[in-house]
Short mmCIF file of all heavy atoms in Angstrom, two decimals:
data_model
loop_
_atom_site.label_atom_id
_atom_site.label_comp_id
_atom_site.label_asym_id
_atom_site.label_seq_id
_atom_site.Cartn_x
_atom_site.Cartn_y
_atom_site.Cartn_z
N ARG P 26 90.22 111.16 79.86
CA ARG P 26 91.19 110.17 79.44
C ARG P 26 91.00 108.91 80.26
O ARG P 26 90.70 108.97 81.45
CB ARG P 26 92.62 110.67 79.65
CG ARG P 26 93.20 111.47 78.52
CD ARG P 26 94.67 111.70 78.74
NE ARG P 26 95.33 112.39 77.63
CZ ARG P 26 96.62 112.61 77.57
NH1 ARG P 26 97.40 112.21 78.54
NH2 ARG P 26 97.14 113.25 76.54
N LEU P 27 91.15 107.77 79.63
CA LEU P 27 91.15 106.50 80.36
C LEU P 27 92.57 106.26 80.89
O LEU P 27 93.54 106.42 80.15
CB LEU P 27 90.74 105.35 79.46
CG LEU P 27 89.31 105.40 78.90
CD1 LEU P 27 89.08 104.20 77.99
CD2 LEU P 27 88.30 105.41 80.02
N PHE P 28 92.67 105.89 82.13
CA PHE P 28 93.97 105.54 82.69
C PHE P 28 93.79 104.44 83.73
O PHE P 28 92.66 104.10 84.12
CB PHE P 28 94.65 106.76 83.30
CG PHE P 28 93.89 107.41 84.40
CD1 PHE P 28 94.14 107.11 85.73
CD2 PHE P 28 92.90 108.36 84.13
CE1 PHE P 28 93.42 107.70 86.74
CE2 PHE P 28 92.19 108.97 85.12
CZ PHE P 28 92.43 108.64 86.45
N THR P 29 94.89 103.87 84.14
CA THR P 29 94.85 102.71 85.01
C THR P 29 95.28 103.09 86.42
O THR P 29 96.32 103.75 86.61
CB THR P 29 95.78 101.60 84.48
OG1 THR P 29 95.35 101.24 83.17
CG2 THR P 29 95.71 100.37 85.38
N GLY P 30 94.48 102.70 87.38
CA GLY P 30 94.82 102.84 88.79
C GLY P 30 94.83 101.50 89.46
O GLY P 30 94.69 100.46 88.80
N ARG P 31 94.95 101.50 90.77
CA ARG P 31 94.97 100.25 91.50
C ARG P 31 94.10 100.37 92.75
O ARG P 31 94.14 101.39 93.43
CB ARG P 31 96.40 99.86 91.90
CG ARG P 31 97.22 99.35 90.75
CD ARG P 31 98.69 99.25 91.05
NE ARG P 31 98.99 98.79 92.38
CZ ARG P 31 99.88 99.39 93.18
NH1 ARG P 31 100.50 100.47 92.80
NH2 ARG P 31 100.14 98.90 94.37
N LEU P 32 93.33 99.32 92.99
CA LEU P 32 92.53 99.24 94.19
C LEU P 32 93.07 98.12 95.08
O LEU P 32 93.21 96.99 94.62
CB LEU P 32 91.06 98.95 93.85
CG LEU P 32 90.17 100.15 93.55
CD1 LEU P 32 88.79 99.69 93.10
CD2 LEU P 32 90.05 101.07 94.75
N VAL P 33 93.39 98.46 96.30
CA VAL P 33 93.86 97.46 97.26
C VAL P 33 92.75 97.23 98.27
O VAL P 33 92.37 98.14 99.00
CB VAL P 33 95.15 97.93 97.97
CG1 VAL P 33 95.62 96.88 98.96
CG2 VAL P 33 96.24 98.23 96.94
N VAL P 34 92.21 96.02 98.30
CA VAL P 34 91.14 95.66 99.23
C VAL P 34 91.74 94.70 100.26
O VAL P 34 92.27 93.64 99.90
CB VAL P 34 89.94 95.01 98.51
CG1 VAL P 34 88.85 94.69 99.53
CG2 VAL P 34 89.41 95.93 97.42
N ARG P 35 91.63 95.06 101.51
CA ARG P 35 92.26 94.31 102.60
C ARG P 35 91.19 93.76 103.53
O ARG P 35 90.26 94.48 103.92
CB ARG P 35 93.23 95.20 103.36
CG ARG P 35 94.05 94.49 104.41
CD ARG P 35 95.07 95.46 105.03
NE ARG P 35 96.12 95.81 104.05
CZ ARG P 35 96.16 96.98 103.41
NH1 ARG P 35 95.24 97.90 103.62
NH2 ARG P 35 97.14 97.21 102.55
N ASN P 36 91.34 92.48 103.89
CA ASN P 36 90.43 91.83 104.84
C ASN P 36 91.15 91.75 106.18
O ASN P 36 92.09 90.98 106.36
CB ASN P 36 90.06 90.43 104.35
CG ASN P 36 89.05 89.74 105.24
OD1 ASN P 36 88.53 90.34 106.20
ND2 ASN P 36 88.74 88.49 104.96
N THR P 37 90.71 92.56 107.14
CA THR P 37 91.38 92.61 108.44
C THR P 37 90.92 91.48 109.36
O THR P 37 91.49 91.33 110.46
CB THR P 37 91.11 93.96 109.12
OG1 THR P 37 89.70 94.13 109.32
CG2 THR P 37 91.64 95.11 108.26
N LYS P 38 89.94 90.69 108.95
CA LYS P 38 89.50 89.53 109.76
C LYS P 38 90.51 88.40 109.56
O LYS P 38 90.68 87.89 108.44
CB LYS P 38 88.10 89.06 109.34
CG LYS P 38 87.02 90.13 109.44
CD LYS P 38 85.65 89.56 109.16
CE LYS P 38 85.55 88.96 107.76
NZ LYS P 38 85.62 89.98 106.70
N VAL P 39 91.16 88.00 110.58
CA VAL P 39 92.16 86.94 110.45
C VAL P 39 91.51 85.58 110.35
O VAL P 39 92.02 84.66 109.69
CB VAL P 39 93.14 86.99 111.64
CG1 VAL P 39 94.19 85.89 111.55
CG2 VAL P 39 93.80 88.36 111.72
N TRP P 40 90.36 85.41 110.94
CA TRP P 40 89.76 84.08 111.10
C TRP P 40 88.71 83.74 110.05
O TRP P 40 88.20 82.63 110.01
CB TRP P 40 89.12 83.97 112.47
CG TRP P 40 88.15 85.09 112.75
CD1 TRP P 40 88.46 86.32 113.23
CD2 TRP P 40 86.76 85.09 112.53
NE1 TRP P 40 87.34 87.11 113.33
CE2 TRP P 40 86.26 86.37 112.91
CE3 TRP P 40 85.84 84.13 112.05
CZ2 TRP P 40 84.93 86.72 112.83
CZ3 TRP P 40 84.50 84.48 111.97
CH2 TRP P 40 84.06 85.75 112.36
N MET P 41 88.35 84.68 109.18
CA MET P 41 87.27 84.39 108.23
C MET P 41 87.55 85.02 106.87
O MET P 41 88.00 86.15 106.76
CB MET P 41 85.94 84.93 108.77
CG MET P 41 84.76 84.67 107.85
SD MET P 41 83.21 85.27 108.52
CE MET P 41 82.09 84.88 107.15
N THR P 42 87.27 84.26 105.83
CA THR P 42 87.38 84.74 104.44
C THR P 42 86.10 85.47 104.05
O THR P 42 85.00 85.05 104.42
CB THR P 42 87.62 83.57 103.49
OG1 THR P 42 88.84 82.90 103.84
CG2 THR P 42 87.72 84.04 102.05
N SER P 43 86.25 86.56 103.33
CA SER P 43 85.11 87.27 102.76
C SER P 43 84.86 86.76 101.35
O SER P 43 85.77 86.78 100.51
CB SER P 43 85.35 88.77 102.75
OG SER P 43 85.42 89.29 104.06
N PHE P 44 83.63 86.31 101.08
CA PHE P 44 83.31 85.70 99.80
C PHE P 44 82.41 86.61 98.97
O PHE P 44 81.59 87.35 99.49
CB PHE P 44 82.62 84.35 100.01
CG PHE P 44 83.50 83.29 100.61
CD1 PHE P 44 83.45 83.03 101.96
CD2 PHE P 44 84.37 82.55 99.81
CE1 PHE P 44 84.25 82.05 102.53
CE2 PHE P 44 85.16 81.56 100.36
CZ PHE P 44 85.11 81.32 101.72
N SER P 45 82.57 86.51 97.65
CA SER P 45 81.67 87.10 96.67
C SER P 45 81.44 88.59 96.95
O SER P 45 80.30 89.02 97.14
CB SER P 45 80.33 86.35 96.66
OG SER P 45 79.52 86.78 95.59
N ILE P 46 82.51 89.36 96.94
CA ILE P 46 82.44 90.79 97.22
C ILE P 46 82.39 91.57 95.91
O ILE P 46 83.21 91.37 95.01
CB ILE P 46 83.64 91.25 98.06
CG1 ILE P 46 83.70 90.46 99.36
CG2 ILE P 46 83.58 92.74 98.32
CD1 ILE P 46 82.50 90.65 100.26
N ARG P 47 81.46 92.48 95.81
CA ARG P 47 81.33 93.37 94.65
C ARG P 47 81.62 94.80 95.12
O ARG P 47 81.03 95.27 96.10
CB ARG P 47 79.91 93.27 94.07
CG ARG P 47 79.65 94.16 92.85
CD ARG P 47 78.20 94.02 92.43
NE ARG P 47 77.83 94.93 91.38
CZ ARG P 47 77.92 94.66 90.09
NH1 ARG P 47 78.40 93.51 89.68
NH2 ARG P 47 77.54 95.56 89.19
N LEU P 48 82.50 95.48 94.41
CA LEU P 48 82.91 96.83 94.76
C LEU P 48 82.53 97.80 93.65
O LEU P 48 82.93 97.63 92.50
CB LEU P 48 84.43 96.90 95.01
CG LEU P 48 85.00 98.26 95.41
CD1 LEU P 48 84.40 98.75 96.71
CD2 LEU P 48 86.51 98.17 95.52
N GLU P 49 81.74 98.81 94.00
CA GLU P 49 81.33 99.85 93.05
C GLU P 49 81.73 101.22 93.55
O GLU P 49 81.77 101.48 94.75
CB GLU P 49 79.80 99.81 92.85
CG GLU P 49 79.28 98.49 92.28
CD GLU P 49 77.77 98.50 92.20
OE1 GLU P 49 77.24 98.96 91.16
OE2 GLU P 49 77.12 98.04 93.16
N GLY P 50 82.00 102.13 92.60
CA GLY P 50 82.38 103.49 92.95
C GLY P 50 81.27 104.46 92.61
O GLY P 50 80.46 104.23 91.71
N SER P 51 81.25 105.60 93.31
CA SER P 51 80.28 106.65 93.02
C SER P 51 80.67 107.31 91.69
O SER P 51 81.80 107.13 91.20
CB SER P 51 80.29 107.67 94.13
OG SER P 51 81.57 108.28 94.25
#
């Protein structure tokens, strides 16, 4: 069945932005 979940991605670096991030699952 297709269903909807949520992914929370957190950047713990206070001083720098993370750019152009691609996230893939196994």
Side-chain angles (χ1 to χ4, degrees):
R26 273 189 175 185
L27 296 178
F28 59 95
T29 301
R31 286 167 39 227
L32 273 175
V33 180
V34 182
R35 186 176 291 104
N36 184 5
T37 61
K38 302 186 300 292
V39 179
W40 53 276
M41 180 178 177
T42 300
S43 292
F44 292 98
S45 189
I46 302 299
R47 180 183 174 90
L48 180 61
E49 299 176 87
S51 62

